[in-house]
Amino acid sequence: MDSTKKVGNTSDDDGFLLRMGLNDNKAGMQGLDKEKINKIIMEATKGSRFYENELKKDQQVNQRIEKMMQLKDKMTSQQLLKAQLQADKLALELEESRDLSCTIVHIDMDAFYAAVEMRDNPELKEKPIAVGSMSMLSTSNYHARRFGVRAAMPGFIAKRLCPHLTIVPLNFKKYEEVSKEVREILAEYDPSFMPIGLDEAYLNITEYLEERQNWPEDKRSYFIKRENIAKNGKQDITAPDELKLNEDAHSSSPILFEDNTSITEEQPVATSHLYTEEQRDQFTQLLNSVVFGTSAEEVVKEIRFRIEQKTGLTASAGIAPNMTLAKMCSDQNKPNGQFRISPDRQSVMDFIKDLPIRKVPGIGKVTEKMLKALGILTCTELYQQRALLSLLFSETSWHNFLDVSLGLGSTDLEKYGERKSMSTERTFSEINTAEEQYSLCQELCRDLAQDLQKEGLKGKTVTLKLKNVNFEVKTRASTVLSAVSTEEEIFAVAKDMLRTEIDGVAPHPLRLRLMGIRVSGFLNEEEKKYQQRSIINFLKPGKPANASLLQPGKSSHEHFTKASETSHRESFFDKKRAARQQSNQELLINKPANKQNSHDIKSSVNPMEETNNAIGSENLNECHSLTCPVCFEEQRESDLEALNRHIDKCLNGTLLKDNAEISTSKNSWENAYHFSPDSKKKIFEMCQKNKMNKAVDTAQSTKVADNSTSSSTEAFHKVVANTSKEREHSLLSETASNMCLEQNFSSKIISLENAEHFEKSECTQETQPSYSSGAIRDNVLVCPICNVEQKTTDLSLFNRHVDVCLNKGIIQELTEQIVCPVKSQIMENSKSVGEYLRHQYMNSTTGTKRYDRSPQACMYLYLKVKLANYSVL
DNA sequence: CGGATCGAC
DNA sequence: CTATGTCGATCCG
């Protein structure tokens, strides 16, 4: 508390009271004055754990300010001058790019929840009410606000401020319905308007306005529905009160009815004897309709009019050349008013001039306090101090400050849109048993998973948030290698973090009052395409829908079907094959003419369908059984656990030898392409065993381009493991290390991959009889895998390229296949697999910096998530 | 990346 | 009688 005195003239209590929303001194005569309100709040709040924590937070802010002031004092005039030049340069650029051509509208429903409750229960209309609970209020009506009752205030404090306060519980369903009604209206003016929460929205009516200029009057006329209002609100609605349409005195054009069609209720309506009944009806109708003009103000009045007609609720609005200004405008004349900033620079600057910085969206209580310490209270001062600010704040911050002080802002509603994280959290009375905490955690994961799935999102970072009974907040985040979206996946990560937190304070229990879960780091479109296949997919290629039957009731079922719906899991080979087929078709049509086009590997062919045709039909009889990926024996077991036991056995029996071999090799890079003779033999045998003879023939045909291999075993080897020492410093070295991983990991899985690959190659044989004929086009060698024309005529170079391509594909697929159902086996191999995963991880997504982890950690994180979906553990 | 903090409603 | 929320974005180390 005392430490604050150091910082200029800001006082300690300011921060706290500000938080309570009492500094705007709006307390009217019927309510309480500011002083009284503060006193009551203090009494109610003092000594509570909450209050203690607030004081602590205030002190932290004060320390920040202190640091900032020290930094300021150290600044040299030299630095300041330089900063001034820089800031001015940017200001000039910004000024030049100023765009006043858009008309942006911000609509804000007045005291939304409270207004809905009042509308639906007339008894509340004259009373001070708030919506929420004894522990927290969401909003209050204007009557209650006079007593200092605000949103985000606990109900029990509000009760002390205003003992007559009626607290209505939240009815979210209802608010959503009303919100929908409002949105229907808004959509007519801007189909791509942007809603913010339930009670706010931005519209860009630029285009609409232009169109409206030519509209006839009747298209801008609205009939006043009296019954509607009578039904919704009170029975006694008086004319001027009912639509405060003429009360927009603040607006620069106070005339509502530009065309002078305005008719007031003061005029005698049906009383005259001079009219026939018919004429009277017409007259009445005319009296009961309004016509809106074509200006922006008129349009917004029309919108507000229609909202009130439809819902019985009022809205405030702001009109300006950008979103930031529009938002500040809507605040200007609330409730039930509107304000416009004309689209010229002077009007904008006039508006900005004396505006307190706190009114600016994005500047909250902390930033306000920091700026205040620098003597900045208004936007003008914000501009004047631009050089100083550029040295004390982050780039994004001071750029934003400069924008604000120049009255600039975004006009693009779209880009404001896409979400970056999603979370859920819950407050409760103290929970201190681990058991309850875990189940709560799981519940949160379940809720969040549902929300995520609604929007089809998957994220890589899971954050656990904990607040203890002293209001201290802690967050723990963990980023995993594959994106999560199901309850199980999220919980697998969250549970671990929760456990370490619980263990951290043991033997004391965690005394929690809040827990939250968040998922962020969403996959972009590119990454979505490469989502891992589930183990079931792996075991039953091409039949995802049936596979889900194998795990009835499991939630991975959901996850799995959803995933296969939302994104076609195009494998590397699927893609290449599709591309190849297409380009073959092109070739047939275009003769050898369009060589350039054939380089395009993008394809509209649906690879999923193809896979179904090619592999699904062959596997049709296997639909209700699983094939062991190790021994290739069909397994009769209907449940995964039994199958896993089998796979365990298989791996134990056959894999040990391979592992032993590899662990002896010191330099994995040199040995990268080396398969033990045993392995090779096994791989080949397996291929044969699985009736892949034809496929191997295909491989054999690669020979044509090489004409040095003779046996099919060697042909196979050629494709899979062509050795070449000088490759270390290129992409190939990657591949090399990956190959090493494959070896270490499980040659069985690779062999399956190859088998699959060849199977697919076989499918393409009809259109492309063999590699030899497919490979040589117009006397140019074309890689049968990537379909890209090769510059070289040297066959061995060409072969090397094909190798690389093939390996790349295998690696890509392997990352999907790496999910082995036997955890212990994988953990044994975690070093090399982990190295691979680490490499993938470090190089994934767009050049952002990555946190380096050990291979083991990568492996573990990866598995933790993947295994959560299976009944292995 | 992880943790804490800020701002909006 | 008790009793201070929920969400997303951004900054800092």
Side-chain angles (χ1 to χ4, degrees):
Chain A
M1 239 192 280
D2 306 310
S3 62
T4 29
K5 288 295 160 201
K6 294 168 195 166
V7 199
N9 48 5
T10 50
S11 88
D12 224 358
D13 287 341
D14 246 24
F16 178 63
L17 294 174
L18 226 138
R19 209 161 290 126
M20 310 276 43
L22 294 175
N23 265 12
D24 52 7
N25 204 7
K26 268 199 181 164
M29 332 177 223
Q30 294 161 27
L32 302 167
D33 60 39
K34 185 186 165 187
E35 227 167 276
K36 217 164 181 184
I37 291 171
N38 288 349
K39 204 179 147 210
I40 294 174
I41 292 179
M42 231 3 156
E43 278 165 18
T45 207
K46 221 171 211 163
S48 67
R49 296 189 210 249
F50 174 79
Y51 181 66
E52 294 303 315
N53 192 256
E54 286 301 307
L55 290 181
K56 213 174 90 191
K57 280 182 356 195
D58 266 359
Q59 279 173 23
Q60 278 170 9
V61 172
N62 288 331
Q63 276 173 19
R64 264 181 77 185
I65 292 175
E66 208 177 307
K67 259 190 194 165
M68 182 184 72
M69 296 307 269
Q70 281 172 10
L71 218 66
K72 185 198 164 198
D73 290 341
K74 268 195 241 163
M75 228 176 276
T76 65
S77 52
Q78 187 80 21
Q79 288 172 311
L80 217 59
L81 201 68
K82 200 181 153 197
Q84 184 77 42
L85 289 170
Q86 200 191 351
D88 285 350
K89 190 173 164 244
L90 179 61
L92 204 69
E93 281 171 23
L94 290 173
E95 190 58 59
E96 274 168 22
S97 66
R98 186 189 289 274
D99 180 7
L100 296 164
S101 65
C102 282
T103 307
I104 309 293
V105 177
H106 181 249
I107 301 279
D108 191 345
M109 300 297 293
D110 300 321
F112 186 52
Y113 299 167
V116 173
E117 298 301 340
M118 282 160 72
R119 181 195 73 177
D120 293 354
N121 184 358
E123 276 182 27
L124 300 174
K125 214 176 173 197
E126 302 305 321
K127 296 180 187 170
I129 71 157
V131 182
S133 69
M134 222 30 165
S135 54
M136 188 52 61
L137 303 179
S138 287
T139 189
S140 57
N141 66 1
Y142 281 83
H143 195 40
R145 286 182 200 190
R146 287 202 283 267
F147 292 88
V149 175
R150 294 306 174 96
M153 174 182 279
F156 69 95
I157 287 181
K159 269 284 194 191
R160 295 200 197 181
L161 287 169
C162 178
H164 299 303
L165 182 74
T166 308
I167 296 180
V168 186
L170 283 155
N171 271 310
F172 263 107
K173 263 229 150 115
K174 213 156 72 178
Y175 314 141
E176 272 164 17
E177 277 169 33
V178 181
S179 182
K180 197 178 150 224
E181 290 185 299
V182 173
R183 287 174 190 187
E184 279 166 11
I185 294 171
L186 299 183
E188 290 181 37
Y189 298 85
D190 178 6
S192 52
F193 76 99
M194 179 173 62
I196 306 285
L198 292 175
D199 69 333
E200 270 182 62
Y202 286 99
L203 287 78
N204 184 342
I205 59 165
T206 316
E207 274 179 46
Y208 171 86
L209 266 176
E210 228 170 277
E211 208 182 299
R212 183 171 167 120
Q213 297 310 310
N214 311 314
W215 282 13
E217 209 170 83
D218 65 299
K219 232 176 153 179
R220 313 189 310 260
S221 305
Y222 289 88
F223 186 67
I224 302 170
K225 287 183 222 152
R226 233 151 277 272
E227 328 77 60
N228 194 16
I229 290 183
K231 185 182 71 195
N232 284 332
K234 296 281 281 191
Q235 54 282 62
D236 59 329
I237 303 243
T238 52
D241 203 11
E242 155 189 300
L243 313 160
K244 288 172 67 185
L245 289 172
N246 283 329
E247 289 189 11
D248 295 303
H250 313 275
S251 142
S252 51
S253 86
I255 303 148
L256 168 60
F257 307 108
E258 282 183 344
D259 305 308
N260 254 350
T261 44
S262 165
I263 298 162
T264 72
E265 291 278 337
E266 310 303 322
Q267 286 170 304
V269 183
T271 52
S272 172
H273 305 294
L274 300 173
Y275 305 109
T276 66
E277 201 164 318
E278 198 183 319
Q279 280 173 322
R280 221 159 55 209
D281 280 354
Q282 279 177 1
F283 192 41
T284 313
Q285 205 163 24
L286 198 64
L287 279 176
N288 288 329
S289 72
V290 285
V291 179
F292 293 91
T294 55
S295 69
E297 278 99 334
E298 287 293 311
V299 170
V300 172
K301 277 173 195 164
E302 181 181 297
I303 292 172
R304 295 203 295 123
F305 168 80
R306 291 180 63 191
I307 290 174
E308 189 173 0
Q309 288 281 295
K310 192 168 180 179
T311 68
L313 305 171
T314 63
S316 297
I319 311 160
N322 65 55
M323 291 167 76
T324 314
L325 291 173
K327 164 106 182 150
M328 297 190 290
C329 282
S330 68
D331 200 45
Q332 201 77 9
N333 283 324
K334 81 176 30 168
N336 199 12
Q338 63 183 65
F339 185 85
R340 179 184 193 196
I341 298 176
S342 306
D344 61 88
R345 188 176 185 278
Q346 195 53 50
S347 302
V348 172
M349 295 320 265
D350 286 348
F351 181 83
I352 287 289
K353 201 167 148 255
D354 296 321
L355 198 74
I357 47 167
R358 187 57 213 267
K359 294 273 178 193
V360 175
I363 296 184
K365 55 181 196 282
V366 175
T367 314
E368 183 192 30
K369 200 170 173 180
M370 302 225 303
L371 292 174
K372 207 166 159 191
L374 297 169
I376 298 170
L377 298 170
T378 68
C379 289
T380 306
E381 289 155 350
L382 194 66
Y383 180 71
Q384 287 163 351
Q385 299 286 14
R386 58 195 177 282
L388 182 63
L389 295 173
S390 77
L391 293 171
L392 293 176
F393 287 82
S394 73
E395 189 176 87
T396 40
S397 287
W398 78 262
H399 279 195
N400 181 46
F401 291 153
L402 199 56
D403 277 344
V404 165
S405 57
L406 289 169
L408 301 169
S410 170
T411 56
D412 186 5
L413 308 194
E414 293 293 312
K415 71 159 193 172
Y416 200 86
E418 83 264 25
R419 85 152 77 239
K420 293 177 181 155
S421 72
M422 189 183 270
S423 66
T424 183
E425 64 188 53
R426 220 154 286 163
T427 300
F428 35 77
S429 53
E430 177 170 344
I431 292 183
N432 50 34
T433 69
E435 199 184 315
E436 280 181 284
Q437 286 162 359
Y438 281 123
S439 73
L440 180 75
C441 179
Q442 184 160 19
E443 195 182 309
L444 287 166
C445 291
R446 181 159 49 238
D447 290 354
L448 184 57
Q450 272 184 8
D451 292 344
L452 282 168
Q453 270 153 43
K454 256 181 228 158
E455 297 193 31
L457 293 168
K458 285 182 134 219
K460 282 179 294 203
T461 302
V462 177
T463 307
L464 173 73
K465 176 178 173 182
L466 302 174
K467 191 192 277 183
N468 67 15
V469 288
N470 292 322
F471 291 91
E472 291 162 337
V473 180
K474 235 185 225 174
T475 59
R476 292 288 177 265
S478 172
T479 303
V480 291
L481 287 137
S482 76
V484 294
S485 69
T486 65
E487 175 192 340
E488 288 81 0
E489 289 169 333
I490 301 169
F491 185 53
V493 184
K495 189 174 61 183
D496 266 16
M497 292 189 285
L498 180 58
R499 181 174 21 242
T500 60
E501 288 310 307
I502 291 174
D503 291 350
V505 294
H508 301 293
L510 276 181
R511 303 182 63 193
L512 302 180
R513 77 175 335 269
L514 172 146
M515 192 188 289
I517 303 286
R518 162 183 311 212
V519 169
S520 54
F522 294 132
L523 260 39
N524 58 36
E525 289 307 310
E526 268 308 293
E527 289 170 308
K528 273 187 190 167
K529 289 186 183 171
Y530 287 95
Q531 280 175 41
Q532 276 96 10
R533 288 204 225 169
S534 77
I535 186 74
I536 301 175
N537 253 346
F538 168 42
L539 298 173
K540 295 186 60 57
K543 280 284 164 188
N546 282 337
S548 63
L549 295 172
L550 295 164
Q551 238 184 340
K554 291 266 174 191
S555 71
S556 50
H557 161 99
E558 256 178 51
H559 155 64
F560 171 70
T561 12
K562 182 219 123 219
S564 54
E565 273 166 22
T566 48
S567 69
H568 301 294
R569 296 157 180 276
E570 292 184 48
S571 82
F572 178 92
F573 296 115
D574 285 332
K575 277 189 180 171
K576 298 296 181 191
R577 190 161 48 86
R580 196 160 61 236
Q581 279 200 343
Q582 196 188 352
S583 88
N584 281 337
Q585 282 167 9
E586 277 170 19
L587 271 171
L588 288 174
I589 297 161
N590 299 333
K591 300 280 173 181
N594 258 341
K595 264 181 270 173
Q596 298 300 326
N597 283 352
S598 64
H599 289 212
D600 185 2
I601 58 161
K602 282 178 196 158
S603 169
S604 57
V605 179
N606 180 348
M608 208 54 193
E609 268 174 36
E610 282 187 23
T611 313
N612 281 340
N613 292 341
I615 301 167
S617 55
E618 259 189 54
N619 287 3
L620 212 60
N621 53 349
E622 288 179 4
C623 274
H624 297 287
S625 67
L626 294 165
T627 305
C628 169
V630 182
C631 70
F632 283 100
E633 298 285 1
E634 192 179 298
Q635 299 303 307
R636 284 278 153 230
E637 283 85 357
S638 54
D639 68 313
L640 270 186
E641 235 165 295
L643 175 75
N644 282 328
R645 275 196 298 275
H646 165 84
I647 298 173
D648 261 330
K649 262 194 217 161
C650 255
L651 281 167
N652 280 331
T654 57
L655 203 63
L656 295 174
K657 208 172 154 199
D658 278 353
N659 286 339
E661 271 174 35
I662 283 130
S663 61
T664 59
S665 71
K666 279 181 205 153
N667 187 339
S668 56
W669 293 73
E670 252 179 47
N671 290 303
Y673 277 69
H674 174 72
F675 273 106
S676 72
D678 243 39
S679 298
K680 274 183 270 176
K681 206 174 163 198
K682 259 188 240 163
I683 292 170
F684 182 60
E685 277 168 7
M686 267 180 262
C687 282
Q688 287 189 316
K689 198 169 172 184
N690 284 277
K691 302 186 178 78
M692 295 296 161
N693 298 327
K694 252 185 164 179
V696 176
D697 283 347
T698 312
Q700 209 165 4
S701 64
T702 355
K703 225 174 14 175
V704 180
D706 183 294
N707 64 44
S708 69
T709 20
S710 53
S711 81
S712 57
T713 316
E714 275 172 21
F716 185 83
H717 178 209
K718 193 98 207 153
V719 179
V720 176
N722 185 7
T723 320
S724 167
K725 300 243 162 148
E726 65 274 334
R727 295 178 175 183
E728 284 195 23
H729 289 92
S730 59
L731 231 190
L732 309 181
S733 7
E734 268 179 48
T735 324
S737 85
N738 293 333
M739 285 304 281
C740 169
L741 140 77
E742 291 171 43
Q743 258 186 307
N744 262 353
F745 178 51
S746 161
S747 51
K748 313 313 178 278
I749 289 178
I750 297 161
S751 70
L752 179 77
E753 253 320 299
N754 289 329
E756 258 194 72
H757 162 63
F758 288 123
E759 189 178 24
K760 288 170 190 170
S761 303
E762 178 202 355
C763 302
T764 63
Q765 278 198 343
E766 264 135 50
T767 45
Q768 186 186 319
S770 77
Y771 281 10
S772 59
S773 65
I776 303 167
R777 238 185 254 159
D778 304 332
N779 293 326
V780 183
L781 289 167
V782 178
C783 169
I785 307 297
C786 73
N787 199 38
V788 172
E789 191 180 284
Q790 298 304 300
K791 294 266 185 291
T792 183
T793 49
D794 182 328
L795 284 182
S796 68
L797 279 176
F798 174 71
N799 262 357
R800 192 183 302 168
H801 167 85
V802 178
D803 281 354
V804 173
C805 259
L806 186 53
N807 283 342
K808 260 160 89 181
I810 291 170
I811 298 313
Q812 206 144 40
E813 300 253 335
L814 183 70
T815 57
E816 298 176 1
Q817 309 299 344
I818 219 158
V819 186
C820 175
V822 191
K823 191 182 176 188
S824 61
Q825 288 293 327
I826 294 173
M827 292 318 281
E828 274 178 28
N829 290 298
S830 68
K831 191 149 179 260
S832 52
V833 178
E835 249 150 26
Y836 173 70
L837 285 172
R838 177 172 159 271
H839 179 265
Q840 288 292 104
Y841 170 69
M842 296 299 290
N843 292 292
S844 65
T845 64
T846 49
T848 51
K849 217 170 71 184
R850 304 230 143 224
Y851 177 75
D852 202 358
R853 298 176 189 277
S854 72
Q856 285 83 356
C858 290
M859 190 69 216
Y860 178 65
L861 286 169
Y862 185 89
L863 288 170
K864 197 167 62 179
V865 175
K866 298 317 291 182
L867 290 175
N869 256 353
Y870 313 122
S871 54
V872 177
L873 298 177

